Amino acid sequence: METFHIHIKGMVQGVGFRPFVHQLANEMNLCGYISNTKNGVHIEINADEKTAVVFCQNILQHPPENALITGHSISRTITKSYLNFSIIPDFSDDIPDLFLTPDISICEKCKHDLSDGQGKRYRYPFTTCLQCGPRYSILKKLPYDRINTTMSHLNMCTDCLQEYQDIGDRRYYSQTNSCPECAIQMHIYDKTTSEIALSQDVMITYLSNAILAGKIVSVKGTGGFLLMCDATNKQTISDLRQKKHRPTKPLAVMYPDLTMAEKDVIIHDKEKSILQNKVAPILLCRRKNICLSGLCNEEIAPELDKIGVMLPNNPLLYLIAKECNKPLVTTSGNISGSPILYKDEDALTHLFDIADLILTFDREIVMPQDDSVLQLTETGQKIILRRSRGLAPGYFPHPFSDTNERLIAFGGELKGSFAIYQNGNIYISQYLGDQQSLESQIAFKQSMTQLTAMLNIKPDVILADSHPAYHSTSAASAFSIEHDVKNLVKIQHHKAHFCAVLAENSLLHTCEPILGIVWDGTGYGDDHQIWGSEVFLYENGDMRRLAHLKYFNHLMKDKMSREPRLSALSLFKELPAHQHIIETYFNETEWKYYHKVLSGKPETMTSSMGRFLDGIACILGIGSIQQYEGETVMKMEALARQHIPQKEEFYNFDIADGGINFDRFLTHVIIEYTSEDNVPKICRKVLFSLARLVELLAEHFSIERIAFSGGVFQNALLVDMIKSLLDGKKQLYFHKQLSPNDECIGFGQLAFYHIQSQKEKNQAFINCAEN
């Protein structure tokens, strides 16, 4: 009998692929082996050609639920004789060439095990199986086997080992298998950092009782430490905000189940599906007028009409949520502005400034991750706000022509995330925080070191943002020197944004013109000004800036992004008669000083749509100083939803000579505000005016296809307005797997470099043909 070799690539480790293939081989009476390697799974079988092909097709057509097959091959190999089918260890030393499986939320069968009073995993907080559990967060090196994870030190008990070796068991070859007999041990500490002597089976009850008594606790989750408290206790929430230095930024709420969540928020069928899927993200849901669970909604999300809702994503959180049987504030365990803490020693050092108790356990996290955050617009458009646990680090399908070059893209600044291209695979890191903070810079470097070592990548090219003052840019430069990478390419921020959404929609190689609308807060422009309302044309691999908002003073540099009053003052420069509207937001000294700065020669100008909207929000009295990024515009969106017009109204922009003049727009906003003072109505008109501006730009430049990127398009109401206005008239393209915010920049840098490389290759081919 012949021997056939099958190689399967993709997301095929940590998803139950080997047990699945073993079971299939037994059903077909085939002998051979399967092995995890650094470049996928390798299978050998004794079979005739027809049987081998059928076997391979069965694998491809019916893979495990969480698997993603990106490539395969089948070929004859040296004839060997196997007596049975087995799973064998990896003895190869291949270059890594596979997808890394993200952490997978607790499955329904494991939830049943937790509540089965007769089962051995009753209330065991680390119950997992082949279909769920930690993956990316605990993986130290490839391939995915227990010995290469942070569970390598834990030996299975006799019963667990029997399950592990039983081909008919759903925990057959489950690398994270454990039970109370061979348990991952928990520890609870009080404010003295002393461990409280408790048996394992009462710890969750002890912690839950503390939450119900008004305490703030920190719990180690899948990707890092969380801070939790009773979401119906106004005083406790106030204490949490004060200690975390987070006065108004919205807090996520974890519910034990959908039934309780639906007492407080509106959840449509698509939203239910997202909340219950294997990612189990935080999902922004519209708040009901009356919250029947007792939720303190104004303390949770002040002046907003949406709440970040989540269901428990792991067994420990599931048990806590069920025992408390209340909505629980669940937010990242960090000091405001810093990345999530994930090491036990760091949590014990820093989190007792906030928490009364800390629960840890003896399974290390090597890849920290916040919870992913999503929202659906009313029309069902998915918008990713934060791409992290459950989504990172894989990206498929990749939209680039295969190249032997290995690339690392360092991304942007405000939403740190890097991207890697190697062997036809794309890896996009989890959200790594604002790179202006030292703690986030350290987290960025640690995550990059971990992932690049795991992938054994030796880059040929480093890509970075063109902003000379970004830390990510200087980090890219330092990395290229340290690793002797000669080719460091700097890419303009908004062009990377545009390339990202083009690549996500497989438009990099299109011949038809595409209009790119890239609206965000800041990005260093080719003319050394601060861009942010960019209108690009992409055609035949070339990208050209067509238009942007009329420049206005970039007042006080980065301080402007934190203080909408400065944006308003800058917008009012040519309308001095109306400046009194915002004068109350400054003291006398500030008023004189900022006017002096405004009247002088500006160091830089800006076309930022983010700052433009900040200024409008301040003029409307929504806010003058922001406590968190995007605060005033988020409140503007919430106010806009309060006004339901019979017919949408708008203010006018004027487009001429590559400029978008907002003078008429601003004048009419001021007139309506001072005469009617109907802020919700004006907010809605402002947002609809932006949607209509998109329509005007498309008509002005006679382009039928429009792609959108940038943080402004996190605004769900604006996205729906654009769709309602243009669906059926134009072809619209939004991000799919990535956020429109700066988390997509690394991917966009890869796409931009790909375009330029293709152009150079095409030109070289033309030159060669001409010669």
Side-chain angles (χ1 to χ4, degrees), residues 373-392:
V373 184
L374 287 75
Q375 67 174 328
L376 290 183
T377 72
E378 293 295 324
T379 62
Q381 179 69 42
K382 182 176 75 173
I383 302 174
I384 296 176
L385 304 174
R386 185 168 71 201
R387 184 180 184 273
S388 203
R389 178 193 54 74
L391 294 174

Side-chain angles (χ1 to χ4, degrees), residues 265-306:
V265 296
I266 300 165
I267 308 177
H268 300 296
D269 287 345
K270 283 186 178 179
E271 291 170 324
K272 289 178 183 178
S273 178
I274 289 173
L275 284 168
Q276 296 178 106
N277 71 17
K278 61 186 178 183
V279 178
I282 296 170
L283 184 69
L284 300 193
C285 298
R286 287 285 297 275
R287 175 167 52 84
K288 291 182 176 179
N289 292 332
I290 299 174
C291 295
L292 298 178
S293 75
L295 181 78
C296 301
N297 54 71
E298 273 307 315
E299 285 69 28
I300 296 295
E303 299 180 60
L304 299 176
D305 61 348
K306 289 188 175 183

Side-chain angles (χ1 to χ4, degrees), residues 406-472:
R406 296 155 295 185
L407 314 172
I408 298 180
F410 274 66
E413 187 81 348
L414 191 58
K415 304 284 188 183
S417 176
F418 60 86
I420 293 172
Y421 178 89
Q422 177 173 250
N423 294 332
N425 296 316
I426 294 173
Y427 308 89
I428 303 174
S429 81
Q430 67 275 30
Y431 162 77
L432 291 165
D434 181 353
Q435 294 304 298
Q436 295 176 14
S437 84
L438 177 60
E439 295 87 353
S440 293
Q441 292 166 16
I442 293 170
F444 187 100
K445 186 173 183 179
Q446 288 174 338
S447 292
M448 177 169 283
T449 299
Q450 171 71 12
L451 189 53
T452 53
M454 192 184 300
L455 297 173
N456 191 25
I457 182 171
K458 296 177 175 58
D460 302 300
V461 184
I462 301 297
L463 308 175
D465 196 286
S466 62
H467 198 306
Y470 274 4
H471 174 267
S472 63

Side-chain angles (χ1 to χ4, degrees), residues 247-354:
T248 58
K249 189 174 182 179
L251 299 163
V253 179
M254 182 172 70
Y255 289 88
D257 50 47
L258 274 176
T259 301
M260 185 179 291
E262 288 185 291
K263 292 180 178 181
D264 298 339
V265 296
I266 300 165
I267 308 177
H268 300 296
D269 287 345
K270 283 186 178 179
E271 291 170 324
K272 289 178 183 178
S273 178
I274 289 173
L275 284 168
Q276 296 178 106
N277 71 17
K278 61 186 178 183
V279 178
I282 296 170
L283 184 69
L284 300 193
C285 298
R286 287 285 297 275
R287 175 167 52 84
K288 291 182 176 179
N289 292 332
I290 299 174
C291 295
L292 298 178
S293 75
L295 181 78
C296 301
N297 54 71
E298 273 307 315
E299 285 69 28
I300 296 295
E303 299 180 60
L304 299 176
D305 61 348
K306 289 188 175 183
I307 294 172
V309 172
M310 64 186 296
L311 298 178
N313 61 73
N314 66 48
L316 176 57
L317 294 180
Y318 180 83
L319 292 169
I320 293 170
K322 285 294 185 184
E323 184 127 349
C324 290
N325 199 32
K326 277 189 172 186
L328 303 175
V329 169
T330 306
T331 186
S332 298
N334 59 0
I335 306 301
S336 190
S338 300
I340 190 169
L341 297 176
Y342 66 101
K343 295 180 179 179
D344 291 5
E345 58 270 28
D346 290 340
L348 294 174
T349 300
H350 299 292
L351 289 183
F352 276 124
D353 291 338
I354 305 171

Side-chain angles (χ1 to χ4, degrees), residues 659-677:
I660 302 168
N661 192 303
F662 52 75
D663 290 348
R664 273 205 300 159
F665 176 103
L666 189 56
T667 299
H668 285 111
V669 167
I670 293 166
I671 290 170
E672 190 160 354
Y673 176 61
T674 53
S675 61
E676 293 187 28
D677 193 23

Side-chain angles (χ1 to χ4, degrees), residues 141-156:
K141 62 181 183 179
L142 295 170
Y144 176 75
D145 278 307
R146 190 177 182 116
I147 195 171
N148 294 328
T149 73
T150 58
M151 289 186 68
S152 60
H153 66 291
L154 297 167
N155 295 319
M156 292 185 219

Side-chain angles (χ1 to χ4, degrees), residues 24 45 72 81 113 119 133 199 216 288 382 505 553 558 605 612 614 621 681 765:
L24 180 62
I45 53 169
H72 75 281
S81 181
D113 288 345
S199 62
I216 299 168
K288 291 182 176 179
K382 182 176 75 173
N505 288 278
N553 284 46
D558 287 344
M605 303 289 283
F612 178 76
D614 282 348
K681 176 184 175 183
F765 178 80

